Amino acid sequence: CLTTLVESRTKEEWKSRTIYQLLTDRFARTDGSTDPCPDLSQYCGGTYRGIIANLDYIAGMGFDAIWISPVVENSPSGYHGYFMSNLYKLNPNFGTEEDFIDLIRECHRRDIWVMVDVVANHVTPVTTEGDYSKVTPFNDASYYHDYCQISPDDFTNNQTRVETCWLGTLPDLNQSIPFVRRTLINWIRNFVNAYKIDGIRIDTVPYVPKEFWAEFTSAAGIFAIGEVTEPRYEYQGGYQQAMDSVLNYMLYYLSLIHI
C-alpha cells in the first residue's frame, strides 16, 4: 500500500478540478493496441498501465482529475466494475495491485487527483437463485433484501421500496444487517487509507438509506460525490446531507427537454 495517512482533498478544493471520466476496460490497453473488441459485453483489455501511458494526453486536454471504474474483483462479465464478486480483491483484468498503485503515483506526480467509483448497494447477479457462495464476503442470502422489483413510481410514492427492493437482477445488500454495514464501512476506510485516493464517486445512492451513506462517507474521510438520477431537485438535494455533492442530473434532464 502507499500509506496509512490520507491527505484529504476538501469539497472546496475539488470545485477547482476538471474531472475526466473513463471506463478502465475501454480506455487504453497496456500494449497500446486499438484492435476492435470482438464482444462488447465482455472485457476488452483496458488496464491501469494503459491509463498511465495516456496521462499526459489527459492533462494536455486540461483535466486535472480522473474518475475511474470500480476497482474490486467482478464477475466475468463485469467489465464496467458494477458486478462485485469479491470486495477484498482488486480486479485482475485491469492489472496488478502494483499497477494500481503506480497509476495513483503517476497521477499525483502530475497533480492529477484520482476518484474511484465505489458500489455499496448491490453485488453481481448470481446464476442460481439464492446461491451467493461465490460472493465474498456476502456469501449468504441473509445478507440481502428479499427479492422485489423497484418500479419507477416508487421514487415518488414509496422510498422504502426503493431502498429494500432490487435494481433489475442485482442482489440488494441489506445495510441494516450489522455484518453488512460494518463490513462496508470498514472496507471503505481501509481502502482509502491503503491507496491514498483523493475522492470517491458513489453508485446507486437513492437505493440505500441516507444514514448509511453518512456513516460510509465519514469513514472514507475524503470527498464523496453521489449518483442520484431522480430528476427532482429537492430529492437530489436531500442526499447532500449525507455526502459532499451529487452529480448534476438536473442539468442532464433539462438538456433532454431542449434536444
Side-chain angles (χ1 to χ4, degrees):
C1 65
L2 291 174
T3 181
T4 57
L5 178 64
V6 174
E7 180 186 353
S8 179
R9 313 293 189 178
T10 68
K11 176 171 62 176
E12 292 305 314
E13 288 175 314
W14 267 98
K15 286 181 180 179
S16 70
R17 293 277 150 164
T18 305
I19 305 170
Y20 186 87
Q21 181 193 3
L22 57 90
L23 194 64
T24 302
D25 179 66
R26 303 298 160 89
F27 182 67
R29 299 183 179 117
T30 298
D31 63 4
S33 64
T34 57
D35 300 336
C37 183
D39 186 351
L40 292 177
S41 69
Q42 302 299 317
Y43 286 93
C44 292
T47 65
Y48 300 131
R49 290 287 169 195
I51 299 173
I52 291 171
N54 287 277
L55 287 177
D56 291 336
Y57 160 73
I58 292 172
M61 291 190 291
F63 295 96
D64 49 16
I66 59 170
W67 156 16
I68 64 173
S69 307
V71 302
V72 300
E73 187 171 81
N74 270 232
S75 60
S77 59
Y79 67 88
H80 39 65
Y82 300 108
F83 288 177
M84 187 273 286
S85 59
N86 191 326
L87 189 64
Y88 298 136
K89 290 185 178 181
L90 296 180
N91 192 331
N93 292 280
F94 302 153
T96 65
E97 181 181 38
E98 190 61 35
D99 292 338
F100 181 50
I101 291 171
D102 285 347
L103 170 62
I104 298 167
R105 283 180 177 148
E106 288 300 315
C107 283
H108 288 168
R109 190 168 68 84
R110 295 168 172 81
D111 192 32
I112 296 174
W113 295 356
V114 180
M115 175 181 288
V116 174
D117 212 322
V118 297
V119 185
N121 171 67
H122 59 266
V123 302
T124 184
V126 293
T127 54
T128 303
E129 183 178 353
D131 180 12
Y132 300 99
S133 59
K134 295 183 179 179
V135 180
T136 302
F138 307 116
N139 59 358
D140 189 87
S142 64
Y143 298 138
Y144 302 87
H145 289 116
D146 292 336
Y147 177 78
C148 54
Q149 191 65 240
I150 298 170
S151 72
D153 291 341
D154 290 336
F155 288 91
T156 303
N157 303 319
N158 197 329
Q159 181 62 26
T160 298
R161 280 182 51 84
V162 174
E163 296 173 1
T164 59
C165 291
W166 291 27
L167 177 61
T169 60
L170 300 172
D172 197 74
L173 287 165
N174 185 347
Q175 291 80 10
S176 70
I177 302 293
F179 173 77
V180 175
R181 192 182 196 95
R182 183 174 63 252
T183 298
L184 292 169
I185 297 298
N186 288 339
W187 172 78
I188 191 61
R189 179 185 296 112
N190 294 336
F191 177 75
V192 170
N193 284 335
Y195 297 111
K196 201 178 180 182
I197 60 172
D198 305 290
I200 54 174
R201 179 268 191 187
I202 305 175
D203 186 60
T204 49
V205 165
Y207 305 91
V208 180
K210 295 183 181 74
E211 59 268 23
F212 170 80
W213 290 131
E215 189 175 355
F216 186 85
T217 56
S218 176
I222 56 176
F223 177 75
I225 187 168
E227 176 200 45
V228 183
T229 57
E230 173 65 22
R232 290 173 293 142
Y233 71 88
E234 67 275 15
Y235 187 96
Q236 285 196 16
Y239 287 92
Q240 290 191 260
Q241 303 167 22
M243 57 194 63
D244 295 302
S245 183
V246 293
L247 292 165
N248 193 354
Y249 275 93
M250 282 301 302
L251 180 62
Y252 165 72
Y253 286 112
L254 285 172
S255 68
L256 292 181
I257 297 173
H258 299 289
I259 292 178

